[in-house]
Amino acid sequence: MPSTDLSTALPRLLLFLGLSLSLIATATAQDAADKPAAAATEVKEKAEASKTPAEAAEKESKPADSKPAEAKTEEKPEAKPEVKPEAKQEKKTDEKPAKPKKEAEPAKPAAEEPKAEAKPEPKKITSLGYSNTPFIRGQRWKVHDMNRPRPRAIVPGNASTYDKPGTAPSDAIVLFDGNNLDNWGQLLPEDPGSIYQPLWSVADGAVTVVPETGHLRTLDTFADCQLHIEWASPEDVQGASQERGDSGVLLMGKYEVQILDSFNNRTFADGQAGAIFGQHPPMVNASRPSGQWQVYDIVFEAPTFKDGKLESPAYMTVIHNGILLHHRRELVGSVKDKELQPYSEDQPAGPIVLQNHGTPVRYRNIWIRPLN
């Protein structure tokens, strides 16, 4: 063997020994690291082998994603565009707390710009009348004349009952309402040309004739008119013919409608209840029994004169208890007992007169509507 120099061989030997020791240390460390893993695997295999068939089946039925949460790789949701909150204005420290607001009203639609409206076509109001129709004979108005004055509106009265008198229309003059005789005066037999304070009695809503005191007359005078008057003869029947409940109502103080108890009471035809006295008997006898209230509605047209001569006679329509007795009956003159009194020109109007023939006849609810 060749001789070796120790100075050369010694360093090489030391280098070799260092490398060997390093490799040994690395292998030892690797072996130490592999032992726990192998041990864990061995434990796991033993545990799996020791499980019952039911546990094994339960494990196989579990989905594959039932691994520990840390082993899963979660899918990240798609990124949404970030909505930035509106910047809020900082409240001032000295601001007062806001008051609760009322419920919001529904938003009103925005006002549209005004458009040019089409001009409406004019339309005739034919209900107001016409101007192209012929004139009515004897009148200055045409048929359905649009310029002819229209009637005014009134309130009608209420009808009477046996116990309670009715009411007058709104345009009537109430001559007696059951309270007083302010619209009347007395005509004394000894002084027929003068007017005195009334002497007839007023009680229980009625005025009753007082014998030997004369006739009662209105203070005002009337011509053409509609007269409503209610009357009752005494319930205690006394006398017969013209002595039984005798009185009368005179228009203009001259033209008489007879008042008489004509229930089962015979007298001359033109002197019974409802007759135009001494001239025209009523068409029927519509009298109620003695003592009951009866109603006259009279429409009177006064006579007219021209140059001292009669131009138009008087006319009278009489309704008794709702029954027509005279329909625009022409009068032959003024009233006079047992005679015919011709027309004579006088004042154009006269009073309403209630006669006193000594029988206590009662009157109520007297009103008049002038027609001129």
Side-chain angles (χ1 to χ4, degrees), residues 105-188:
E105 296 181 357
K108 296 181 180 179
E112 297 181 358
E113 295 182 1
K115 297 180 180 179
E117 296 182 357
K119 188 177 180 180
E121 295 182 2
K123 296 181 180 179
K124 291 182 180 180
I125 305 177
T126 56
S127 60
L128 295 182
Y130 302 88
S131 60
N132 58 350
T133 52
F135 281 94
I136 303 170
R137 186 176 61 186
Q139 300 183 21
R140 64 188 183 93
W141 305 108
K142 299 177 180 180
V143 176
H144 309 314
D145 199 322
M146 64 186 300
N147 296 315
R148 191 167 194 169
R150 289 158 182 78
R152 71 185 190 280
I154 68 166
V155 179
N158 296 321
S160 298
T161 64
Y162 181 79
D163 297 322
K164 184 178 180 181
T167 57
S170 61
D171 65 340
I173 299 170
V174 178
L175 299 176
F176 179 66
D177 63 358
N179 295 314
N180 56 64
L181 293 173
D182 291 348
N183 296 315
W184 300 82
Q186 199 79 44
L187 299 174
L188 299 181

Side-chain angles (χ1 to χ4, degrees), residues 58-75:
E58 182 180 357
K59 181 180 178 181
E60 290 178 1
S61 64
K62 287 184 180 180
D65 59 352
S66 59
K67 294 181 180 180
E70 60 271 11
K72 290 183 180 180
T73 57
E74 295 182 358
E75 296 181 359

